[in-house]
Coordinates of all heavy atoms in Angstrom, one line a residue:
M1 N -22.7 54.7 19.6 CA -22.6 55.2 18.3 C -22.9 56.7 18.3 O -23.8 57.1 18.9 CB -23.5 54.5 17.3 CG -23.5 55.0 16.0 SD -24.6 54.2 14.8 CE -25.7 53.3 15.7
M2 N -22.1 57.5 17.6 CA -22.3 58.9 17.6 C -23.5 59.2 16.6 O -23.6 58.6 15.5 CB -21.0 59.6 17.2 CG -21.0 60.5 16.1 SD -19.3 61.2 15.9 CE -19.3 61.2 14.2
C3 N -24.3 60.2 17.0 CA -25.4 60.6 16.1 C -24.9 61.2 14.8 O -24.0 62.0 14.8 CB -26.2 61.6 16.9 SG -27.8 62.0 16.0
G4 N -25.4 60.7 13.7 CA -25.0 61.2 12.4 C -23.9 60.4 11.7 O -23.8 60.4 10.5
G5 N -23.0 59.8 12.5 CA -21.9 59.0 11.9 C -22.3 57.6 11.7 O -23.1 57.0 12.4
C6 N -21.7 57.0 10.7 CA -21.9 55.6 10.4 C -21.0 54.7 11.3 O -19.9 55.1 11.6 CB -21.5 55.2 9.0 SG -22.9 55.6 7.8
S7 N -21.5 53.6 11.7 CA -20.8 52.6 12.5 C -19.8 52.0 11.6 O -19.8 52.1 10.4 CB -21.7 51.6 13.1 OG -22.2 50.8 12.1
S8 N -18.9 51.2 12.2 CA -18.0 50.4 11.4 C -18.8 49.2 10.9 O -19.9 48.8 11.4 CB -16.8 49.9 12.2 OG -17.2 49.2 13.3
A9 N -18.3 48.5 9.8 CA -19.0 47.4 9.2 C -18.9 46.2 10.2 O -17.9 46.0 10.8 CB -18.3 47.0 7.9
R10 N -20.0 45.5 10.3 CA -20.1 44.3 11.2 C -20.8 43.2 10.4 O -21.6 43.5 9.5 CB -21.0 44.7 12.4 CG -20.3 45.8 13.3 CD -21.3 46.1 14.5 NE -22.5 46.8 14.0 CZ -22.8 48.0 14.4 NH1 -22.2 48.6 15.3 NH2 -23.9 48.5 13.9
P11 N -20.6 42.0 10.8 CA -21.3 40.9 10.2 C -22.8 41.0 10.5 O -23.2 41.4 11.6 CB -20.7 39.6 10.9 CG -19.4 40.1 11.5 CD -19.6 41.5 11.8
A12 N -23.6 40.6 9.5 CA -25.0 40.7 9.7 C -25.5 39.7 10.7 O -25.1 38.6 10.8 CB -25.7 40.5 8.3
S13 N -26.4 40.2 11.5 CA -27.1 39.4 12.6 C -28.4 38.9 12.0 O -28.9 39.4 11.0 CB -27.3 40.2 13.8 OG -28.2 41.3 13.5
P14 N -29.1 38.0 12.8 CA -30.4 37.6 12.4 C -31.4 38.8 12.3 O -32.3 38.8 11.5 CB -30.8 36.6 13.5 CG -29.5 36.0 14.0 CD -28.6 37.2 13.9
E15 N -31.2 39.8 13.2 CA -32.1 40.9 13.2 C -31.9 41.7 11.9 O -32.8 42.3 11.3 CB -31.8 41.8 14.4 CG -32.2 41.2 15.7 CD -31.1 40.2 16.3 OE1 -30.0 40.1 15.8 OE2 -31.5 39.5 17.2
V16 N -30.6 41.9 11.4 CA -30.4 42.6 10.2 C -30.9 41.8 9.0 O -31.5 42.4 8.1 CB -28.8 42.8 10.0 CG1 -28.5 43.4 8.7 CG2 -28.4 43.8 11.1
Q17 N -30.8 40.5 9.0 CA -31.4 39.7 8.0 C -32.9 39.9 7.9 O -33.5 40.0 6.9 CB -31.1 38.2 8.2 CG -31.7 37.3 7.1 CD -31.1 37.5 5.7 OE1 -29.9 37.4 5.6 NE2 -32.0 37.8 4.7
A18 N -33.6 40.0 9.1 CA -35.0 40.3 9.2 C -35.4 41.6 8.6 O -36.4 41.7 7.9 CB -35.5 40.2 10.6
I19 N -34.5 42.6 8.8 CA -34.7 44.0 8.2 C -34.6 43.9 6.7 O -35.5 44.4 6.0 CB -33.7 45.0 8.8 CG1 -34.0 45.3 10.3 CG2 -33.7 46.3 8.0 CD1 -33.0 46.0 11.0
A20 N -33.6 43.2 6.2 CA -33.4 43.0 4.7 C -34.6 42.3 4.2 O -35.2 42.7 3.1 CB -32.1 42.3 4.4
D21 N -35.1 41.2 4.8 CA -36.2 40.4 4.3 C -37.5 41.3 4.2 O -38.3 41.1 3.3 CB -36.5 39.2 5.2 CG -35.4 38.2 5.1 OD1 -34.7 38.2 4.1 OD2 -35.3 37.3 6.0
K22 N -37.6 42.2 5.1 CA -38.9 43.1 5.1 C -38.9 44.0 4.0 O -40.0 44.5 3.6 CB -39.0 43.8 6.5 CG -39.4 42.9 7.6 CD -39.6 43.6 8.9 CE -39.9 42.6 10.0 NZ -39.9 43.2 11.3
V23 N -37.7 44.4 3.4 CA -37.7 45.3 2.3 C -37.4 44.7 1.0 O -37.3 45.3 -0.1 CB -36.8 46.5 2.6 CG1 -37.2 47.3 3.8 CG2 -35.3 46.1 2.7
K24 N -37.2 43.3 1.0 CA -36.9 42.6 -0.2 C -37.9 42.9 -1.4 O -37.5 43.2 -2.5 CB -36.9 41.1 0.0 CG -36.5 40.3 -1.2 CD -36.5 38.8 -0.9 CE -36.3 38.0 -2.1 NZ -36.5 36.5 -1.9
S25 N -39.2 42.9 -1.1 CA -40.2 43.1 -2.1 C -40.1 44.6 -2.7 O -40.3 44.8 -3.9 CB -41.6 42.8 -1.6 OG -41.9 43.7 -0.5
Q26 N -39.7 45.5 -1.8 CA -39.5 46.9 -2.3 C -38.4 47.0 -3.3 O -38.4 47.6 -4.3 CB -39.3 47.8 -1.1 CG -40.5 48.0 -0.2 CD -40.1 48.9 1.0 OE1 -39.5 49.9 0.9 NE2 -40.4 48.4 2.2
L27 N -37.3 46.3 -2.9 CA -36.1 46.2 -3.8 C -36.5 45.6 -5.2 O -36.1 46.0 -6.2 CB -34.9 45.5 -3.2 CG -33.7 45.3 -4.1 CD1 -33.1 46.7 -4.5 CD2 -32.7 44.5 -3.4
E28 N -37.1 44.4 -5.1 CA -37.5 43.7 -6.3 C -38.4 44.6 -7.2 O -38.2 44.5 -8.4 CB -38.2 42.4 -5.9 CG -37.3 41.4 -5.3 CD -38.0 40.1 -4.9 OE1 -39.2 40.1 -4.6 OE2 -37.3 39.1 -4.8
E29 N -39.2 45.4 -6.6 CA -40.1 46.3 -7.4 C -39.2 47.4 -8.1 O -39.4 47.6 -9.3 CB -41.2 46.9 -6.5 CG -42.2 47.7 -7.3 CD -43.3 48.2 -6.4 OE1 -43.8 47.4 -5.6 OE2 -43.7 49.4 -6.6
K30 N -38.3 48.0 -7.3 CA -37.5 49.1 -7.8 C -36.5 48.6 -8.9 O -36.3 49.2 -9.8 CB -36.8 49.8 -6.7 CG -37.6 50.7 -5.9 CD -36.8 51.5 -4.9 CE -37.7 52.4 -4.1 NZ -36.9 53.4 -3.3
A31 N -35.9 47.4 -8.6 CA -34.9 46.9 -9.5 C -35.5 46.1 -10.7 O -34.8 45.7 -11.6 CB -33.9 46.0 -8.7
D32 N -36.8 45.8 -10.6 CA -37.5 45.0 -11.6 C -36.9 43.6 -11.7 O -36.6 43.2 -12.8 CB -37.6 45.7 -12.9 CG -38.7 45.1 -13.8 OD1 -39.7 44.5 -13.3 OD2 -38.6 45.2 -15.0
K33 N -36.5 43.0 -10.6 CA -35.9 41.7 -10.5 C -36.5 40.9 -9.4 O -37.0 41.4 -8.4 CB -34.4 41.8 -10.3 CG -33.6 42.2 -11.4 CD -32.1 42.1 -11.0 CE -31.2 42.3 -12.2 NZ -29.8 42.3 -11.8
K34 N -36.4 39.6 -9.5 CA -36.7 38.7 -8.4 C -35.4 38.0 -7.9 O -34.6 37.6 -8.7 CB -37.7 37.6 -8.8 CG -39.1 38.1 -9.2 CD -39.8 38.5 -7.9 CE -41.2 39.0 -8.3 NZ -41.9 39.6 -7.1
Y35 N -35.3 38.0 -6.6 CA -34.1 37.4 -6.0 C -34.4 36.1 -5.3 O -35.2 36.2 -4.3 CB -33.4 38.4 -5.0 CG -33.0 39.7 -5.7 CD1 -33.7 40.9 -5.5 CD2 -31.8 39.7 -6.5 CE1 -33.2 42.0 -6.1 CE2 -31.4 40.9 -7.1 CZ -32.1 42.0 -6.9 OH -31.7 43.2 -7.5
T36 N -33.8 35.0 -5.7 CA -34.1 33.8 -5.0 C -33.1 33.7 -3.8 O -33.5 33.1 -2.7 CB -33.9 32.5 -5.9 OG1 -32.6 32.6 -6.5 CG2 -34.9 32.5 -7.0
L37 N -31.9 34.2 -3.9 CA -31.0 34.3 -2.8 C -31.0 35.7 -2.3 O -30.9 36.6 -3.1 CB -29.5 33.9 -3.3 CG -28.4 34.0 -2.3 CD1 -28.6 33.1 -1.1 CD2 -27.1 33.7 -2.9
F38 N -31.1 35.9 -1.0 CA -31.2 37.2 -0.4 C -30.6 37.1 1.0 O -31.3 37.1 2.0 CB -32.6 37.7 -0.4 CG -32.7 39.2 -0.3 CD1 -32.4 40.0 -1.5 CD2 -33.1 39.9 0.8 CE1 -32.6 41.4 -1.4 CE2 -33.3 41.2 0.9 CZ -33.0 42.0 -0.3
K39 N -29.3 37.1 1.1 CA -28.6 36.8 2.3 C -27.8 38.1 2.8 O -26.8 38.4 2.1 CB -27.6 35.6 2.2 CG -26.9 35.3 3.4 CD -25.9 34.2 3.2 CE -25.1 33.9 4.5 NZ -24.0 33.0 4.2
A40 N -28.2 38.7 3.9 CA -27.5 39.8 4.4 C -26.1 39.3 5.0 O -26.1 38.3 5.7 CB -28.3 40.5 5.6
V41 N -25.0 39.9 4.6 CA -23.7 39.4 5.0 C -23.0 40.4 5.9 O -22.1 40.1 6.7 CB -22.8 39.0 3.8 CG1 -23.4 37.8 3.1 CG2 -22.6 40.1 2.9
E42 N -23.3 41.7 5.7 CA -22.6 42.8 6.5 C -23.4 44.0 6.5 O -24.3 44.2 5.7 CB -21.3 43.1 5.7 CG -20.4 44.1 6.3 CD -19.1 44.3 5.4 OE1 -19.2 45.0 4.4 OE2 -18.1 43.8 5.8
Y43 N -23.2 44.8 7.6 CA -24.0 46.1 7.7 C -23.3 47.1 8.4 O -22.4 46.9 9.2 CB -25.4 45.8 8.3 CG -25.4 45.7 9.8 CD1 -25.8 46.7 10.6 CD2 -24.9 44.5 10.4 CE1 -25.8 46.6 12.0 CE2 -24.9 44.4 11.8 CZ -25.3 45.5 12.6 OH -25.3 45.4 14.0
K44 N -23.8 48.4 8.2 CA -23.4 49.5 9.0 C -24.7 50.2 9.4 O -25.7 50.0 8.7 CB -22.6 50.5 8.2 CG -21.2 50.1 7.8 CD -20.4 51.1 7.1 CE -19.0 50.7 6.8 NZ -18.2 51.8 6.1
S45 N -24.7 50.9 10.5 CA -25.9 51.7 10.9 C -25.5 53.1 11.1 O -24.3 53.5 11.4 CB -26.5 51.1 12.1 OG -25.7 51.0 13.2
Q46 N -26.5 54.0 11.0 CA -26.3 55.4 11.2 C -27.5 55.9 12.0 O -28.7 55.8 11.5 CB -26.2 56.2 9.9 CG -26.1 57.7 10.0 CD -26.3 58.4 8.7 OE1 -27.0 57.9 7.8 NE2 -25.6 59.5 8.5
L47 N -27.3 56.5 13.1 CA -28.3 57.1 14.0 C -28.7 58.5 13.5 O -27.8 59.3 13.5 CB -27.9 57.1 15.4 CG -28.9 57.4 16.5 CD1 -30.1 56.3 16.4 CD2 -28.3 57.3 17.9
V48 N -29.9 58.7 13.1 CA -30.4 60.0 12.7 C -31.7 60.2 13.4 O -31.8 59.8 14.6 CB -30.5 60.1 11.1 CG1 -29.2 60.1 10.5 CG2 -31.3 58.9 10.6
A49 N -32.7 60.7 12.9 CA -34.0 60.8 13.5 C -34.7 59.4 13.2 O -35.7 59.4 12.5 CB -34.9 61.9 13.0
G50 N -34.1 58.4 13.7 CA -34.4 57.0 13.4 C -33.1 56.3 13.1 O -32.0 56.8 13.5
T51 N -33.0 55.3 12.3 CA -31.8 54.6 12.0 C -31.7 54.2 10.5 O -32.7 53.7 10.0 CB -31.6 53.3 12.8 OG1 -31.8 53.6 14.2 CG2 -30.3 52.6 12.6
N52 N -30.6 54.6 9.9 CA -30.3 54.1 8.5 C -29.5 52.8 8.7 O -28.5 52.8 9.4 CB -29.5 55.1 7.7 CG -30.4 56.2 7.2 OD1 -31.5 56.0 6.7 ND2 -29.8 57.4 7.2
Y53 N -29.9 51.8 7.9 CA -29.1 50.6 7.9 C -28.5 50.5 6.4 O -29.3 50.6 5.5 CB -29.9 49.3 8.2 CG -30.4 49.3 9.6 CD1 -31.6 49.7 10.0 CD2 -29.5 48.7 10.6 CE1 -32.0 49.7 11.3 CE2 -29.9 48.6 11.9 CZ -31.1 49.1 12.3 OH -31.5 49.0 13.6
F54 N -27.2 50.3 6.3 CA -26.6 50.0 5.0 C -26.2 48.6 5.1 O -25.4 48.1 5.9 CB -25.3 50.9 4.9 CG -25.7 52.4 5.0 CD1 -25.7 53.0 6.2 CD2 -25.9 53.1 3.8 CE1 -26.0 54.4 6.2 CE2 -26.3 54.4 3.8 CZ -26.3 55.1 5.1
I55 N -26.9 47.8 4.2 CA -26.7 46.3 4.3 C -26.2 45.8 3.0 O -26.7 46.1 1.9 CB -28.1 45.7 4.6 CG1 -28.7 46.3 5.9 CG2 -27.9 44.1 4.8 CD1 -30.1 45.8 6.2
K56 N -25.2 44.9 3.1 CA -24.6 44.2 1.9 C -25.4 42.9 1.8 O -25.3 42.1 2.8 CB -23.1 44.0 2.0 CG -22.5 43.3 0.8 CD -21.1 43.0 1.0 CE -20.2 44.2 1.0 NZ -18.8 43.9 1.0
V57 N -26.1 42.7 0.7 CA -26.9 41.5 0.5 C -26.4 40.7 -0.6 O -26.2 41.2 -1.7 CB -28.4 41.9 0.3 CG1 -29.2 40.6 0.1 CG2 -28.9 42.7 1.4
Q58 N -26.1 39.4 -0.4 CA -25.7 38.5 -1.5 C -27.0 38.0 -2.2 O -27.9 37.5 -1.6 CB -25.0 37.3 -0.9 CG -24.5 36.3 -2.0 CD -23.7 35.1 -1.4 OE1 -23.7 34.9 -0.2 NE2 -23.1 34.4 -2.2
V59 N -27.0 38.3 -3.5 CA -28.2 37.9 -4.4 C -27.9 36.8 -5.4 O -28.8 36.4 -6.1 CB -28.8 39.2 -5.0 CG1 -29.4 40.1 -4.0 CG2 -27.8 39.9 -5.9
D60 N -26.6 36.5 -5.5 CA -26.2 35.4 -6.4 C -24.8 35.0 -6.0 O -24.2 35.6 -5.1 CB -26.2 35.9 -7.9 CG -26.3 34.8 -8.9 OD1 -26.2 33.6 -8.5 OD2 -26.4 35.1 -10.1
N61 N -24.2 34.0 -6.6 CA -22.9 33.5 -6.1 C -21.9 34.6 -5.9 O -21.3 34.7 -4.9 CB -22.3 32.5 -7.1 CG -23.0 31.1 -7.0 OD1 -23.7 30.8 -6.0 ND2 -22.9 30.3 -8.1
D62 N -21.7 35.5 -7.0 CA -20.7 36.5 -6.9 C -21.3 37.9 -7.1 O -20.6 38.8 -7.5 CB -19.6 36.3 -8.0 CG -18.8 35.0 -7.7 OD1 -18.5 34.7 -6.5 OD2 -18.6 34.3 -8.7
N63 N -22.6 38.0 -6.8 CA -23.3 39.3 -7.0 C -23.9 39.7 -5.7 O -24.6 39.0 -5.1 CB -24.4 39.1 -8.1 CG -24.9 40.4 -8.6 OD1 -24.4 41.5 -8.3 ND2 -25.9 40.4 -9.5
F64 N -23.7 41.0 -5.4 CA -24.2 41.6 -4.2 C -24.9 42.9 -4.5 O -24.7 43.5 -5.5 CB -23.0 41.9 -3.2 CG -22.4 40.6 -2.7 CD1 -21.5 39.9 -3.5 CD2 -22.6 40.2 -1.4 CE1 -20.9 38.7 -3.1 CE2 -22.1 39.0 -1.0 CZ -21.2 38.3 -1.8
V65 N -25.8 43.3 -3.6 CA -26.6 44.5 -3.7 C -26.4 45.2 -2.3 O -26.4 44.6 -1.3 CB -28.1 44.3 -3.9 CG1 -28.8 45.6 -3.9 CG2 -28.3 43.6 -5.3
H66 N -26.1 46.5 -2.4 CA -26.1 47.3 -1.2 C -27.4 48.0 -1.0 O -27.9 48.7 -2.0 CB -24.9 48.4 -1.2 CG -23.6 47.7 -1.2 ND1 -22.4 48.5 -1.2 CD2 -23.2 46.4 -1.2 CE1 -21.4 47.7 -1.2 NE2 -21.8 46.4 -1.2
I67 N -28.1 47.9 0.1 CA -29.4 48.6 0.3 C -29.3 49.5 1.5 O -28.5 49.3 2.5 CB -30.5 47.5 0.5 CG1 -30.3 46.6 1.7 CG2 -30.7 46.7 -0.7 CD1 -31.4 45.7 2.1
R68 N -30.0 50.6 1.4 CA -30.1 51.5 2.5 C -31.6 51.5 3.0 O -32.5 51.8 2.2 CB -29.7 53.0 2.1 CG -29.8 53.9 3.4 CD -29.2 55.3 3.0 NE -30.3 56.1 2.4 CZ -30.2 57.0 1.5 NH1 -29.0 57.3 1.0 NH2 -31.2 57.6 1.1
V69 N -31.8 51.1 4.2 CA -33.1 50.9 4.8 C -33.2 51.9 6.0 O -32.3 52.0 6.8 CB -33.3 49.5 5.3 CG1 -34.7 49.3 6.0 CG2 -33.1 48.5 4.2
F70 N -34.4 52.6 6.0 CA -34.6 53.5 7.1 C -35.7 53.0 8.1 O -36.7 52.5 7.6 CB -35.1 54.9 6.6 CG -35.4 55.9 7.7 CD1 -34.4 56.4 8.4 CD2 -36.7 56.2 8.0 CE1 -34.6 57.4 9.4 CE2 -37.0 57.1 9.0 CZ -36.0 57.7 9.7
E71 N -35.3 53.0 9.3 CA -36.2 52.5 10.4 C -36.6 53.8 11.2 O -35.7 54.4 11.8 CB -35.6 51.5 11.3 CG -36.5 51.0 12.4 CD -35.8 49.9 13.3 OE1 -34.6 50.1 13.6 OE2 -36.4 48.9 13.5
S72 N -37.8 54.2 11.2 CA -38.2 55.4 11.9 C -38.2 55.2 13.4 O -38.1 54.0 13.9 CB -39.6 55.8 11.5 OG -40.6 54.9 11.8
L73 N -38.4 56.2 14.2 CA -38.5 56.1 15.6 C -39.7 55.4 16.0 O -40.7 55.4 15.3 CB -38.5 57.5 16.2 CG -37.2 58.3 16.0 CD1 -37.4 59.8 16.5 CD2 -36.0 57.7 16.7
P74 N -39.6 54.6 17.1 CA -40.8 53.8 17.5 C -42.1 54.5 17.6 O -43.1 53.9 17.2 CB -40.3 53.2 18.8 CG -38.9 53.2 18.8 CD -38.5 54.5 18.0
H75 N -42.1 55.7 18.1 CA -43.4 56.4 18.3 C -44.1 56.8 17.0 O -45.2 57.1 17.0 CB -43.2 57.6 19.2 CG -42.5 58.8 18.6 ND1 -41.1 58.8 18.5 CD2 -43.0 59.9 18.0 CE1 -40.8 59.9 17.9 NE2 -41.9 60.6 17.5
E76 N -43.3 56.8 15.9 CA -43.8 57.2 14.6 C -44.6 56.0 14.0 O -45.4 56.2 13.1 CB -42.7 57.6 13.6 CG -42.1 58.9 14.1 CD -41.0 59.4 13.2 OE1 -40.2 58.5 12.7 OE2 -40.9 60.6 13.0
N77 N -44.3 54.8 14.4 CA -45.1 53.6 14.0 C -45.2 53.5 12.5 O -46.2 53.3 11.9 CB -46.5 53.6 14.6 CG -47.1 52.3 14.6 OD1 -46.4 51.3 14.7 ND2 -48.4 52.2 14.6
K78 N -44.0 53.7 11.8 CA -44.0 53.6 10.3 C -43.2 52.3 9.9 O -42.4 51.8 10.7 CB -43.3 54.8 9.7 CG -44.0 56.1 9.9 CD -43.3 57.2 9.2 CE -44.0 58.5 9.4 NZ -43.2 59.6 8.8
P79 N -43.6 51.7 8.8 CA -42.9 50.5 8.4 C -41.4 50.8 7.9 O -41.1 52.0 7.6 CB -43.7 50.0 7.2 CG -44.4 51.2 6.7 CD -44.6 52.1 7.9
L80 N -40.6 49.8 7.8 CA -39.3 49.9 7.3 C -39.4 50.4 5.8 O -40.3 50.0 5.1 CB -38.5 48.6 7.3 CG -38.1 48.1 8.7 CD1 -37.7 46.7 8.6 CD2 -37.0 49.0 9.3
A81 N -38.4 51.3 5.4 CA -38.5 51.8 4.0 C -37.1 51.6 3.4 O -36.1 52.0 3.9 CB -38.9 53.2 4.0
L82 N -37.2 51.1 2.2 CA -36.0 51.0 1.3 C -35.8 52.4 0.7 O -36.6 52.8 -0.1 CB -36.1 49.9 0.2 CG -35.0 49.9 -0.8 CD1 -33.8 49.3 -0.1 CD2 -35.4 49.1 -2.0
H83 N -34.7 53.1 1.1 CA -34.5 54.4 0.6 C -33.7 54.5 -0.7 O -33.8 55.3 -1.5 CB -33.9 55.3 1.7 CG -34.9 55.9 2.6 ND1 -34.6 57.1 3.3 CD2 -36.1 55.6 2.9 CE1 -35.7 57.4 4.0 NE2 -36.6 56.5 3.8
D84 N -32.7 53.5 -0.8 CA -31.9 53.5 -2.0 C -31.2 52.1 -2.1 O -31.2 51.3 -1.1 CB -30.9 54.6 -1.9 CG -30.3 55.0 -3.3 OD1 -30.7 54.4 -4.3 OD2 -29.5 56.0 -3.3
Y85 N -30.6 51.9 -3.2 CA -29.8 50.6 -3.4 C -28.8 50.8 -4.5 O -28.9 51.7 -5.3 CB -30.7 49.4 -3.8 CG -31.3 49.5 -5.2 CD1 -30.7 48.7 -6.2 CD2 -32.4 50.2 -5.5 CE1 -31.2 48.8 -7.5 CE2 -32.9 50.2 -6.8 CZ -32.3 49.5 -7.8 OH -32.8 49.5 -9.0
Q86 N -27.8 50.0 -4.4 CA -26.7 49.9 -5.4 C -26.6 48.5 -5.9 O -26.3 47.6 -5.1 CB -25.4 50.5 -4.9 CG -25.4 51.9 -4.4 CD -24.1 52.3 -3.8 OE1 -23.4 51.6 -3.2 NE2 -23.8 53.6 -3.9
A87 N -26.7 48.2 -7.2 CA -26.7 46.9 -7.7 C -25.3 46.6 -8.3 O -24.4 47.5 -8.3 CB -27.7 46.7 -8.8
D88 N -25.1 45.3 -8.7 CA -23.8 44.9 -9.3 C -22.6 45.2 -8.4 O -21.6 45.6 -8.9 CB -23.7 45.5 -10.7 CG -24.8 45.2 -11.6 OD1 -25.2 44.0 -11.6 OD2 -25.3 46.0 -12.3
K89 N -22.7 44.8 -7.2 CA -21.6 44.9 -6.2 C -20.9 43.6 -6.1 O -21.5 42.5 -6.4 CB -22.0 45.4 -4.9 CG -22.6 46.9 -4.9 CD -21.4 47.8 -5.2 CE -21.9 49.3 -5.0 NZ -20.7 50.2 -5.1
T90 N -19.7 43.6 -5.6 CA -19.0 42.3 -5.3 C -18.8 42.2 -3.8 O -19.0 43.1 -3.1 CB -17.5 42.3 -6.0 OG1 -16.7 43.3 -5.3 CG2 -17.6 42.6 -7.5
K91 N -18.3 41.0 -3.4 CA -18.1 40.7 -2.0 C -17.1 41.7 -1.4 O -17.1 42.1 -0.3 CB -17.7 39.3 -1.8 CG -17.5 38.9 -0.4 CD -17.2 37.4 -0.2 CE -17.1 37.0 1.2 NZ -16.9 35.6 1.4
E92 N -16.1 42.1 -2.3 CA -15.0 42.9 -1.8 C -15.4 44.4 -1.8 O -14.7 45.2 -1.1 CB -13.8 42.8 -2.7 CG -13.1 41.4 -2.6 CD -13.9 40.3 -3.3 OE1 -14.6 40.6 -4.3 OE2 -13.8 39.1 -2.9
D93 N -16.5 44.8 -2.4 CA -16.8 46.3 -2.4 C -17.2 46.7 -1.0 O -17.9 46.1 -0.3 CB -18.0 46.5 -3.4 CG -17.7 46.4 -4.8 OD1 -16.5 46.7 -5.2 OD2 -18.6 46.1 -5.6
E94 N -16.6 47.9 -0.7 CA -16.8 48.4 0.7 C -18.2 48.9 0.8 O -18.7 49.6 -0.1 CB -15.8 49.5 1.0 CG -16.0 50.1 2.3 CD -15.0 51.3 2.6 OE1 -14.1 51.5 1.8 OE2 -15.2 51.9 3.7
L95 N -18.8 48.7 1.9 CA -20.1 49.2 2.2 C -19.9 50.6 2.7 O -19.3 50.9 3.7 CB -20.8 48.3 3.3 CG -22.2 48.5 3.6 CD1 -23.1 48.3 2.4 CD2 -22.6 47.4 4.7
A96 N -20.4 51.6 2.0 CA -20.2 53.0 2.3 C -21.6 53.7 2.2 O -22.5 53.3 1.7 CB -19.2 53.6 1.3
Y97 N -21.6 54.9 2.8 CA -22.8 55.8 2.8 C -23.1 56.1 1.3 O -22.3 56.4 0.5 CB -22.5 57.1 3.5 CG -23.8 58.0 3.5 CD1 -24.7 57.9 4.6 CD2 -24.0 58.8 2.5 CE1 -25.8 58.7 4.6 CE2 -25.2 59.6 2.5 CZ -26.1 59.5 3.5 OH -27.2 60.3 3.5
F98 N -24.4 56.0 1.0 CA -24.9 56.4 -0.3 C -26.3 56.9 -0.2 O -27.0 56.7 0.8 CB -24.8 55.3 -1.3 CG -25.6 54.0 -1.0 CD1 -26.9 53.9 -1.4 CD2 -25.1 53.0 -0.2 CE1 -27.7 52.7 -1.1 CE2 -25.8 51.9 0.1 CZ -27.1 51.7 -0.3

């Protein structure tokens, strides 16, 4: 992957689900909602001074949220951080940089 550019969209792996799960509480606090369903279905990544993950998460039958999660470089020893999110997305909405 080229530095700074986003990867193409890929199906979410168990590792990506784990990343989403780790920031779920941050999203619930920012959105002022509780999500019983929280299934990562697709993601893109961007290599910067760390990694941005853009993850499409299913939160209801036909409702999705796009989240941007930042993972710092290993030597910085910082927790995953939810940097932004977009609510009220559909399964068909393209996962794009935001």
Side-chain angles (χ1 to χ4, degrees):
M1 173 179 18
M2 125 180 143
C3 189
C6 276
S7 69
S8 57
R10 297 178 291 238
S13 63
E15 292 80 13
V16 170
Q17 180 66 56
I19 290 169
D21 288 343
K22 287 180 182 171
V23 298
K24 179 182 177 189
S25 63
Q26 293 176 48
L27 175 62
E28 289 176 334
E29 186 176 319
K30 284 186 178 189
D32 197 26
K33 282 187 172 182
K34 292 288 183 193
Y35 298 106
T36 54
L37 175 62
F38 204 73
K39 180 183 176 190
V41 294
E42 182 180 76
Y43 79 103
K44 290 182 177 183
S45 58
Q46 177 191 35
L47 190 59
V48 288
T51 305
N52 280 320
Y53 291 95
F54 300 88
I55 307 172
K56 182 184 291 188
V57 179
Q58 183 178 10
V59 294
D60 204 351
N61 286 340
D62 297 318
N63 194 8
F64 293 76
V65 174
H66 294 182
I67 60 175
R68 185 174 83 212
V69 180
F70 180 71
E71 180 179 46
S72 64
L73 295 171
H75 73 277
E76 294 179 323
N77 201 26
K78 293 182 179 175
L80 291 167
L82 175 70
H83 273 203
D84 204 358
Y85 73 97
Q86 297 176 332
D88 300 319
K89 294 291 190 173
T90 68
K91 184 176 184 177
E92 292 76 27
D93 286 335
E94 182 182 349
L95 192 55
Y97 181 92
F98 59 93

